[in-house]
Amino acid sequence: METRIKNILVSNKIISNDSSILIGIVNQNGRQIYSVGIEDKSSIPVEDRIFEIGSISKVFTAVFLQTMIRDNIVQLDDSVLKYQPSYIQAFSNNREETTLRDLITHQSNLPRDASNIKVLDKMNPFATYQPKDLDEFLSNFQLKKYKNKWKYSNVGVGVLGNLLASVLGTEYEEAINARICKPLGLHSTFINISDNNQRRVIKSYMKKKEIPPFSIPALPGAGGLKSTLNDMLTFLEGNLGLTDNPLQEVFNQTHKIQNNIRVDNNTLMGLGWMISKDKQTQDYIHWHTGGTVGFNTYIGMKKEKKMGIIIATTQKHSMWQLVKILLGLGETIGEEIAFEVYNHLLSTE
């Protein structure tokens, strides 16, 4: 099996000295870790190396939301205006009001990204976008349609993360640590990387120039988290019910299909999770992808098969691939690798 998995990774890897791929697999038989392109001289195990998970952060925001529902602090169909009344025009069209469910399932009709972002550094495009800029955007945004169709929104999920943290009187990172990381024993999932952890960070490059750490200070719940294979496999094990953990019912609630919200003809929405059918096996796959300037990531699981995969790669898409992905017409590198690995694992059962 190890040879086949390695071949899958190499076949999907750009042959260069500054490209790397990591993959973690978990099932009832335990964990498997594979990598290509990680520095061999490092004494730090591959599974403890830090990478940016990008929009997989949205799954953490969904779990965060569900812990608040569990504790009866908020309700899924609460109006956003109950907690953010000053943004009435952004979350109400005089007929209906946007709910927390709408934010986490991309039904808010907020745009993908805020219109007032000024990109000063293409290598770190959101770094200068601050909470005051988000306040300005929401103060001027006018909601016109409501629940018309699914519309992916970094703004919507990011606003939800901020809202939940504000209800608790804390910051998003602190809330994620208290409500998810500590209960699960995740020791390396965070937004801000300490000086002591810098040597564990996987470097990513573009045209031989090192890409700076991704930063999204105004909307961390949309894509600000960093993690490791070890932590992400622990997270998957909890979701799959492979471990006895205090968040099991919380996870189960996030896996449920939400009101038949359709992403496309083969994909529905859970809370944070996309839910698709494997066209070959008809198994349901709960998944999410992530993309920063430096990393492409994928998390997915087949619950019925008790099988999960996490992938992180510094391999870059071509411009045409990126355009297709942004338009919803193409698979990410992580998705391509994941489906080959799913099929291989099932063929060896």
Side-chain angles (χ1 to χ4, degrees):
M1 179 182 290
E2 180 173 355
T3 300
R4 175 59 184 145
I5 299 293
K6 285 275 190 179
N7 287 339
I8 290 171
L9 297 188
V10 171
S11 69
N12 283 275
K13 178 181 179 292
I14 293 175
I15 306 302
S16 70
N17 293 327
D18 55 16
S19 176
S20 57
I21 299 176
L22 300 84
I23 180 169
I25 300 168
V26 64
N27 55 30
Q28 294 177 87
N29 297 319
R31 297 181 174 186
Q32 300 165 55
I33 306 288
Y34 304 96
S35 68
V36 175
I38 299 295
E39 306 95 301
D40 294 330
K41 295 179 181 179
S42 174
S43 61
I44 303 167
V46 167
E47 56 268 33
D48 290 326
R49 301 297 297 273
I50 297 167
F51 56 88
E52 297 162 359
I53 68 172
S55 283
I56 295 174
S57 303
K58 293 179 175 68
V59 177
F60 279 78
T61 299
V63 175
F64 177 18
L65 168 61
Q66 190 58 46
T67 67
M68 300 275 281
I69 295 169
R70 174 200 62 192
D71 296 342
N72 204 32
I73 299 171
V74 302
Q75 300 301 316
L76 190 56
D77 289 314
D78 280 349
S79 169
V80 176
L81 296 177
K82 179 177 179 179
Y83 308 100
Q84 302 283 357
S86 61
Y87 302 128
I88 187 167
Q89 78 292 331
F91 299 111
S92 171
N93 62 1
N94 297 321
R95 290 185 291 110
E96 296 186 84
E97 296 180 359
T98 303
T99 66
L100 305 189
R101 189 197 302 265
D102 294 332
L103 293 179
I104 197 59
T105 59
H106 301 287
Q107 291 277 98
S108 67
N109 271 295
L110 287 164
R112 183 184 184 94
D113 295 305
S115 58
N116 64 336
I117 293 175
K118 295 178 177 65
V119 178
L120 301 182
D121 181 1
K122 292 181 179 179
M123 301 280 266
N124 202 358
F126 299 100
T128 59
Y129 194 71
Q130 299 295 325
K132 63 180 178 61
D133 301 309
L134 178 63
D135 174 73
E136 178 190 352
F137 170 76
L138 293 174
S139 297
N140 291 287
F141 181 78
Q142 178 66 57
L143 179 68
K144 295 179 180 178
K145 297 179 180 179
Y146 181 77
K147 289 187 177 179
N148 183 43
K149 62 180 180 179
W150 184 86
K151 183 179 179 181
Y152 190 85
S153 177
N154 288 316
V155 178
V157 180
V159 164
L160 176 62
N162 295 347
L163 180 157
L164 296 173
S166 69
V167 169
L168 295 177
T170 188
E171 297 296 321
Y172 178 83
E173 183 176 28
E174 294 174 9
I176 292 296
N177 185 51
R179 289 186 161 263
I180 302 174
C181 297
K182 284 186 176 179
L184 287 181
L186 309 184
H187 303 296
S188 299
T189 299
F190 31 59
I191 291 171
N192 299 299
I193 302 174
S194 68
D195 290 342
N196 290 337
N197 281 320
Q198 289 297 329
R199 66 190 187 92
R200 298 168 55 200
V201 175
I202 297 171
K203 304 296 184 183
S204 184
Y205 300 85
M206 184 176 292
K207 296 181 180 179
K208 297 184 178 181
K209 183 177 180 181
E210 185 176 324
I211 298 170
F214 182 74
S215 175
I216 183 166
L219 298 162
L225 288 170
K226 289 86 174 174
S227 194
T228 63
L229 285 183
N230 254 341
D231 271 16
M232 294 306 295
L233 288 173
T234 299
F235 184 73
L236 273 172
E237 287 166 342
N239 274 272
L240 289 165
L242 292 172
T243 56
D244 184 14
N245 73 87
L247 296 180
Q248 189 61 68
E249 186 51 37
V250 167
F251 288 142
N252 291 341
Q253 291 298 318
T254 67
H255 301 159
K256 292 181 178 179
I257 293 171
Q258 297 295 310
N259 297 347
N260 276 330
I261 298 167
R262 288 203 167 271
V263 177
D264 57 37
N265 290 335
N266 189 49
T267 306
L268 298 168
M269 278 301 303
L271 294 181
W273 294 97
M274 315 290 184
I275 306 171
S276 303
K277 268 195 173 183
D278 186 320
K279 294 177 181 178
Q280 290 187 331
T281 65
Q282 297 301 300
D283 296 326
Y284 278 109
I285 302 174
H286 288 68
W287 62 275
H288 209 292
T289 57
T292 64
V293 179
F295 290 86
N296 289 294
T297 53
Y298 170 93
I299 188 171
M301 59 183 180
K302 291 191 174 186
K303 288 192 68 179
E304 292 181 1
K305 297 291 193 298
K306 298 287 187 182
M307 176 193 303
I309 299 174
I310 177 73
I311 298 169
T313 174
T314 62
Q315 179 180 343
K316 303 300 180 291
H317 288 294
S318 70
M319 184 57 66
W320 175 236
Q321 282 177 309
L322 284 171
V323 170
K324 286 173 69 178
I325 290 163
L326 290 172
L327 293 175
L329 301 175
E331 293 181 338
T332 66
I333 296 166
E335 288 177 277
E336 293 170 1
I337 297 171
F339 279 101
E340 289 189 60
V341 174
Y342 282 133
N343 292 336
H344 173 65
L345 292 173
L346 292 173
S347 71
T348 59
E349 286 190 338

